[in-house]
Amino acid sequence: MNQESKNISIKAVLITIAVGVWAIVLQNAGVIPTNQNVKVVNTVDVRGNVDANVSGSVNVDNTVDINIEEILGRKAGTRESYTIDGKQYNSLDVSVR
């Protein structure tokens, strides 16, 4: 292998490395978009508050419990109770500020 073909080979390798590095830099900067789909296959135990942005639909198989006091930012009061189909319900006292 002569000197000229060695130089061409080294230049080709260096150009390939440079293109690869710039591709990674542009991906990390968001210039080149990438899809990152994550599928959670196990359950995750979470303590504390969680903010989640969900696109599409979410199926809930069990009862969902919410903390009205946390949502309102103050103690929630009940105004009256009533019965529908044998189940007891309470209405919330809500004021608009």
Side-chain angles (χ1 to χ4, degrees):
M1 183 178 253
N2 62 19
Q3 187 65 26
E4 188 175 324
S5 62
K6 274 187 177 181
N7 287 340
I8 292 174
S9 297
I10 291 175
K11 286 180 183 179
V13 169
L14 291 176
I15 289 172
T16 304
I17 291 171
V19 168
V21 168
W22 276 108
I24 292 171
V25 168
L26 293 175
Q27 279 181 337
N28 289 338
V31 175
I32 299 174
T34 57
N35 284 339
Q36 295 179 352
N37 297 326
V38 177
K39 181 178 179 181
V40 177
V41 294
N42 294 321
T43 61
V44 178
D45 293 330
V46 177
R47 292 196 169 96
N49 296 330
V50 176
D51 291 329
N53 295 326
V54 178
S55 62
S57 63
V58 176
N59 295 325
V60 178
D61 296 332
N62 297 318
T63 301
V64 175
D65 186 19
I66 59 172
N67 186 340
I68 297 296
E69 292 178 11
E70 186 72 26
I71 293 170
L72 294 176
R74 60 178 169 80
K75 187 153 178 69
T78 56
R79 182 169 288 197
E80 61 184 89
S81 63
Y82 52 93
T83 304
I84 298 176
D85 295 331
K87 292 184 179 179
Q88 185 73 29
Y89 296 92
N90 294 317
S91 64
L92 288 174
D93 183 21
V94 178
S95 63
V96 178
R97 296 180 188 164

